[in-house]
Amino acid sequence: MPVTIKSAREIELMTKAGEILALVHKELEKGLRAGMSTWDVDRLGEEVIRSYGCEPSFLNYNGYPASICVSLNHEVVHGIPSKKRIIKEGDIVSLDAGVIYKGYHSDAARTHAVGEVSQEAKDLIRITKESFFEGIKYAKEGNHLFDISRAIGAYAEKFGYGVVRDLCGHGIGMHLHEDPEIPNYQMQRRGMRLKAGMTLAIEPMINIGTWQVDWLDDDWTVVTRDGSLSAHYENTVLITEDEPKLLTVI
Ligand code: MF3
Ligand code: CO
């Protein structure tokens, strides 16, 4: 599929989809606490999404059975909510969510600490977020797509972290996943030239240890191969002629 350039009308709808998702993440962060199951987190998220008149974009996407991906500790992404999975003090919890507003998608992820967590967990969460902001310094018309990738990867690797390679960011709009694919590590090619009106979900997934990951038998949950902690930070971003707009941050 060609990469789409969104019209002013489409940007308006995606801006709204992004604002709502930012509010959903705020509610999830407020509600998250030890003793909850990951299923409770999904219930809360879906309820908030629907209260804004949106649809959860992950529900039934390629058969994914929930609205929020809830991934604990060494789980990288796509954890499936379960009543049996109880969140404990000291866990780090990655929450990935998407909403559809009038046919347009937004996608964003955050990793939260529950109660007091280790210093190394705090550092991982912070540096993962910082790597996203290093990347979007290059998210501007005229630059190349993989300038973003290189900046994210180089930043995280400076701290000795493993940058997940099996999963990437992506274009977004009328579909959750559109072209282009956006790796979080250095590519030899420069990638496509960025143009105003592109909407991209940029999402570093960073591990304390190796970059290598495995898929569990549920066919969804991605875990670090060495069992080390992993963090995720994602926003839906609009490319402009000037600074990028973070549609999922308010
Ligand atoms: N943010 C995730 C991604 O871009 C979306 C989760 S996939 C789903 O891969 F199947 F869970 F919806
Ligand atoms: Co995404």
Side-chain angles (χ1 to χ4, degrees), residues 107 170 203 234:
D107 185 3
H170 49 92
E203 50 177 320
E234 173 181 32

Side-chain angles (χ1 to χ4, degrees), residues 57-59 61-62 64 66 69 78 96-97 107-109 167-170 176-177 201 203 220 232 234:
S57 61
F58 297 177
L59 185 61
Y61 180 84
N62 290 338
Y64 185 75
C69 299
H78 303 170
D96 192 351
D107 185 3
L167 296 142
C168 295
H170 49 92
L176 173 59
H177 292 141
E203 50 177 320
W220 280 105
H232 188 194
E234 173 181 32

Side-chain angles (χ1 to χ4, degrees), residues 4 15 21 44 48 84 115 152 159 184 228 231 235 241:
T4 55
T15 300
L21 184 52
L44 172 62
V48 178
K84 290 190 226 148
I152 292 171
F159 297 90
N184 295 302
S228 67
N235 285 306
E241 286 157 15

Side-chain angles (χ1 to χ4, degrees), residues 140-153:
K140 192 183 278 193
E141 176 157 282
N143 284 340
H144 289 87
L145 182 65
F146 298 154
D147 296 340
I148 301 172
S149 306
R150 187 186 337 97
I152 292 171

Side-chain angles (χ1 to χ4, degrees), residues 209-221:
T210 179
W211 58 270
Q212 289 172 300
V213 297
D214 290 303
W215 266 256
L216 297 188
D217 283 338
D218 63 16
D219 285 341
W220 280 105
T221 313

Side-chain angles (χ1 to χ4, degrees), residues 157-176:
E157 281 169 4
K158 223 171 51 183
F159 297 90
Y161 291 147
V163 176
V164 175
R165 303 174 88 87
D166 297 73
L167 296 142
C168 295
H170 49 92
I172 181 168
M174 288 186 57
H175 307 277
L176 173 59

